[in-house]
């Protein structure tokens, strides 16, 4: 490629040595091992929050090395720093505005060519940089040998070989980070340049925008982003420059709308020159394990069979292991605890006993027993993701998702919805097209989350005895069929049958890392316990209070009045005021319906709550209640993220309205049919 | 260069190799494509193309799944086997 540039270099610059606790930002493309390294360094000393104004997970933590403390921030995994998605904007704004003391770029030795692409962008930013050359073990297996020393000399940045999953090379890495933070000068760095034919345009643009850029934004870099067609950067520049300049900029961009290719080619040419010096041994065209497995896993027929098998196994595990544990906890811990506390508090005032026994233990306790189910599901999901299988699942589901005008990528968030709808809605971020994303978000609440499935698992055995399994599966299957039908119709009505683009990397298969999975399960459990301790606790208390006020009698309580006011609608579905109230409180958290029934049916008798309830209602009422619970409006947390992610109340209300109409309509129908059939 | 041999990525069979000549226009995903290694001049191998549904392509040492329509917009020059 003779028309390509020769790598240029920037001046060695003097930088301040870092005082205090230095901040290190972890950057890298997806699946390079960033999170593995992050977890390894910080252990449990980490905090998961959100990026300001965004709902993308922000992970921060602290660690110590040789008595020095460091602050570590896990940036979202991004292929580049062009604003293709919010992740990329977050990553680059963090680096430019928050100015971390050092950026640690994680790359894969097994796939340097692609993973250096992000480095080629990072190298052009004014920040200290260290490269973690991860997965040298995988590279070794594939016969690729990377000379870290030569790579380091070529790029002008320290490069440390690493196997994050086995903590190999971590000491060297931390030592290099320490040295880099101490060093008063920044070495000369090799940087990619735009292909020669576009250099003049770049510098023209640079001169135009130079006086107006916000501090911290390197003009050359901004000019490149403009040429790359980066909408975010174009907006920023348009807002900053005077009208005349804006016109000039637009003219240049219009004339050179193919410049992005010259830029990308320049970066790959830079990468190729790095590879020529540092990489030896080529995969000699041998068929890797990944290719061999993919012959089956991504085959249109066997791929679907494998997916069905795996999903079946996940649910089987979740419910054959999770449900008995849940029952055991309910019968063995919650019930005895309630009766013990009841005896203990026998002398206490009536309200205190009620609050603790019915509100706290009956409500929150019942809900906490769902934890095992949640843990098993998220454990399984995380393992599949970690192995690299989920991308294959998306791939084989692509054809099927087309019916709804969606593509394979929408399958992953929807599947995640079986765990919890909140991460499902957040997970739609990986879908580039706004329409596909909106549709996926609207459909997500139709996926029964563990909370709803736990309610199902809790009540069906009581109502349907030996047929419980069939009824549960039937209901779940029914809601999935509904999802597809709703998807097809909504796509026609809202988006006129348009379809969005599908591009996705299929990562190499990995042996799963138990630490990664353990961490995810731990974090999900923690947030569930937090929810039980806050939202569900609060609602349980309020429900309990409303159920005894004003005169201590449930039948004449405020809650009963609310329930009776809405009972006419409940009647369509065969629900009395108690079930109606239970349904309403499920808006705050789906598990609440159980908690509420726990409060309303007071004393957890030896038979347990489920039995008490099933004795009180007919099977057709039970079926209608299960149906409406499964399809009812999304819980408050889900509504909140739907609002955030769609950025519109209209879509949010459309979604709520849809679920309300579907749930009440269908449950009424189910009740009528069940009665007619004499269930 | 024989321009009649120019074809689209979607028309290649499993196992065929080709060089990208153009990414096509207006699909709105060029930014994604370049970051994933699709640039004019890049060499790729079709890992999977069953004639319908998405394709799997290996390029720059990675595997990328690509919708049929997206693959149809990418012009390639097949390499002799
Ligand atoms: N063999 C091997 N596997 C590794 C190594 N480092 C990470 N992995 C595995 O690579 C996979 C991806 O690791 P993650 O840490 O989740 O990657 P990430 O960069 O955080 O990915 P995103 O969060 O998607 O951006 C996991 O299955 C890890 O267990 C390594 O050095 N060797
Ligand atoms: Mg990660």
């Amino acid at each position: 490629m003779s028309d390509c540039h020769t790598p240029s270099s920037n001046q060695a610059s003097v930088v301040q040595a870092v005082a205090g606790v230095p901040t290190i930002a972890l950057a890298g493309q997806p699946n390079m091992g960033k999170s593995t390294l992050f977890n390894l360094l910080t252990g449990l000393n980490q905090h998961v929050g959100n990026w300001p104004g965004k709902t993308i997970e922000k992970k921060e933590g602290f660690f110590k090395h040789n008595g020095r403390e460091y602050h570590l921030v896990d940036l979202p995994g991004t292929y580049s720093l062009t604003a293709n998605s919010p992740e990329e904007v977050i990553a680059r704004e963090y680096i430019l505005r928050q100015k971390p003391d050092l950026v640690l770029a994680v790359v894969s030795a097994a796939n340097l060519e692609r993973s250096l692409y992000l480095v080629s962008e990072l190298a052009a930013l004014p920040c200290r940089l260290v490269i973690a050359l991860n997965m040298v073990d995988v590279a070794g297996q594939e016969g690729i040998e990377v000379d870290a020393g030569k790579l380091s000399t070529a790029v002008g940045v320290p490069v440390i070989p690493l196997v994050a999953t086995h903590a190999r090379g971590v000491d060297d890495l931390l030592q290099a980070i320490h040295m880099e933070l101490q060093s008063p000068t920044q070495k000369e760095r090799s940087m990619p340049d735009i292909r020669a034919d576009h250099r003049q345009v770049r510098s023209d643009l640079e001169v135009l925008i130079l006086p107006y850029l916000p501090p911290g934004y390197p003009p050359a870099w901004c000019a490149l982003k403009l040429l790359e067609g980066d909408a975010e950067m174009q907006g920023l520049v348009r807002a900053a420059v005077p009208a005349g300049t804006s016109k000039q900029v637009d003219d240049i961009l219009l004339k050179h709308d193919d410049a992005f290719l010259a830029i990308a080619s320049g970066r790959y040419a830079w990468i190729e020159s790095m590879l020529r010096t540092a990489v030896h041994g080529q995969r000699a065209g041998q068929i890797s394990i990944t290719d061999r497995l993919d012959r089956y896993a991504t085959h249109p027929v066997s791929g679907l069979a494998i997916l069905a098998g795996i999903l079946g196994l996940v649910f089987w595990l979740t419910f054959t292991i999770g449900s008995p544990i849940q029952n055991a906890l309910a019968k063995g811990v919650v019930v005895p605890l309630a009766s013990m506390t009841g005896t203990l508090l026998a002398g206490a005032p009536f309200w205190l006993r009620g609050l603790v026994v019915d509100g706290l233990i009956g409500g929150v306790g019942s809900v906490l027993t769902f934890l095992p189910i949640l843990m098993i599901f998220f454990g399984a999901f995380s393992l599949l993701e970690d192995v690299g299988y989920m991308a294959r699942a998306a791939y084989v589901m692509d054809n099927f998702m087309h019916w709804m005008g969606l593509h394979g990528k929408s399958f992953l968030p929807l599947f995640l919805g079986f765990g919890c709808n909140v991460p499902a809605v957040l997970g739609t971020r990986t879908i580039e097209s706004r329409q596909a994303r909106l549709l996926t978000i609207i459909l997500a609440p139709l996926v029964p989350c563990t909370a709803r499935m736990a309610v199902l698992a809790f009540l069906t055995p009581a109502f349907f005895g030996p047929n419980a399994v069939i009824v549960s599966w039937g209901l779940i299957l029914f809601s999935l069929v509904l999802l597809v039908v709703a998807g097809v119709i909504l796509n026609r009505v809202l988006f006129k049958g348009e379809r969005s683009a599908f591009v996705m990397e299929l990562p190499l298969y990995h042996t799963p890392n138990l630490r990664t999975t353990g961490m995810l399960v731990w974090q999900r459990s923690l947030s569930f316990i937090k929810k039980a301790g806050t939202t569900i606790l609060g609602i349980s208390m309020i429900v309990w209070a409303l159920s005894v006020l004003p005169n201590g009698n449930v039948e004449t309580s405020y809650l009963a009045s609310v329930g009776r006011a809405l009972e006419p609608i409940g009647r369509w579905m065969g629900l009395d005021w108690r079930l109606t109230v239970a349904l309403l409180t499920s808006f705050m958290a789906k598990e609440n319906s159980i908690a509420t029934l726990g409060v309303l049916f007071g004393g957890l008798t030896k038979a347990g709550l489920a039995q008490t309830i099933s004795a009180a209602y007919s099977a057709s009422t039970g079926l209608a209640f299960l149906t409406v619970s499964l399809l009812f409006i999304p819980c408050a947390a889900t509504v909140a993220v739907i609002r955030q992610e769609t950025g519109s109340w209209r879509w949010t209300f459309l979604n709520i309205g849809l679920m309300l109409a579907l749930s009440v309509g269908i449950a009424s129908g189910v009740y009528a049919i069940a009665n007619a059939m004499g269930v | 260069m024989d321009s009649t041999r120019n074809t689209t990525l979607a028309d290649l069979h499993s196992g065929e190799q080709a060089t990208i000549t153009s990414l096509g226009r207006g699909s709105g995903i060029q930014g994604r494509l370049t970051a994933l290694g699709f640039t004019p001049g890049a060499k790729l191998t079709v890992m999977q193309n069953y004639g319908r549904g998405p394709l799997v392509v290996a390029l720059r040492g990675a595997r990328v799944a690509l919708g049929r329509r997206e693959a149809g917009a990418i012009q390639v020059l097949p390499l002799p086997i």
Side-chain angles (χ1 to χ4, degrees), chain A residues 502-517:
Chain A
F502 178 49
V503 204
M504 183 185 66
E505 182 176 14
L506 298 179
L508 290 174
Y509 287 106
H510 284 288
T511 37
N513 186 245
L514 290 181
R515 189 195 289 262
T516 312
T517 299

Side-chain angles (χ1 to χ4, degrees), chain A residues 268 291 298 395 432 502 504 506, chain B residues 32 34 37 48 54 63 65 67:
Chain A
Y268 282 113
D291 292 329
T298 59
Y395 177 82
E432 293 94 357
F502 178 49
M504 183 185 66
L506 298 179
Chain B
R32 259 287 155 240
T34 51
Q48 206 176 86
R63 281 157 203 76

Side-chain angles (χ1 to χ4, degrees), chain A residues 1 29 79-80 84-85 88 110-111 113-114 117 257-258 260-261 264-265 268 272 283 288 290-291 294-295 298-300 392 395 398-399 409 432 499-508, chain B residues 21-25 27-42 47-50 52-71:
Chain A
M1 290 202 193
Q29 293 190 334
Y79 288 107
S80 70
N84 289 313
S85 70
E88 276 127 357
N111 185 3
E113 186 170 357
R114 253 281 312 291
Y117 192 82
D257 64 345
D258 60 341
F260 73 98
L261 289 175
S265 299
Y268 282 113
E272 276 155 26
R283 64 192 88 206
S288 67
T290 295
D291 292 329
D294 271 350
R295 264 184 217 162
T298 59
H299 187 274
R392 274 76 188 180
Y395 177 82
D398 187 62
N399 268 333
K409 274 193 195 171
E432 293 94 357
R499 189 175 88 60
S500 55
F502 178 49
V503 204
M504 183 185 66
E505 182 176 14
L506 298 179
L508 290 174
Chain B
T21 53
S22 139
L23 290 191
R25 275 172 189 266
S27 64
I29 52 160
Q30 283 105 339
R32 259 287 155 240
L33 287 174
T34 51
L36 283 166
F38 290 84
T39 52
M47 305 301 286
Q48 206 176 86
N49 184 357
Y50 287 101
R52 56 187 296 261
L55 292 82
V56 180
V57 170
L59 86 167
R60 298 194 192 274
R63 281 157 203 76
V64 180
L66 197 65
R68 182 151 296 274
R69 204 181 50 177
E70 289 68 61

Side-chain angles (χ1 to χ4, degrees), chain A residues 317-319 321-327 329 368-379 418-419 449-451 453-455 457-458:
Chain A
L317 273 180
T318 305
F319 288 98
I321 301 182
S323 292
I325 301 181
Q326 193 232 327
N327 280 332
L329 282 177
L368 275 180
T369 60
F370 296 153
L371 192 58
I373 293 181
L374 204 82
M375 287 171 74
I376 295 172
F377 180 84
F378 278 115
F418 283 110
C449 62
T450 35
M453 288 196 275
V455 172
F458 188 81

Side-chain angles (χ1 to χ4, degrees), chain A residues 26-39 59 74-79 106-107 133-139 141 162-168 382-383 385-388 507-517:
Chain A
L26 268 175
Q29 293 190 334
N31 277 306
M32 295 291 129
K34 262 181 321 102
S35 300
T36 310
L37 186 58
F38 181 84
N39 290 338
K59 289 212 264 177
D74 195 9
L75 295 176
T78 58
Y79 288 107
V106 184
V107 301
L133 181 65
N134 196 24
M135 308 217 184
V136 286
D137 57 331
V138 183
Q141 286 158 21
L162 199 68
V163 182
T165 38
H166 293 101
R168 243 190 287 147
S382 159
L383 272 183
E385 169 94 62
D386 202 18
V387 169
L508 290 174
Y509 287 106
H510 284 288
T511 37
N513 186 245
L514 290 181
R515 189 195 289 262
T516 312
T517 299

Side-chain angles (χ1 to χ4, degrees), chain A residues 52 66 120 168 196 363 449 464 476 486 509 534-535 577:
Chain A
N66 284 346
S120 77
R168 243 190 287 147
C449 62
F464 301 100
I476 290 173
Y509 287 106
T534 52
T535 322
W577 69 268

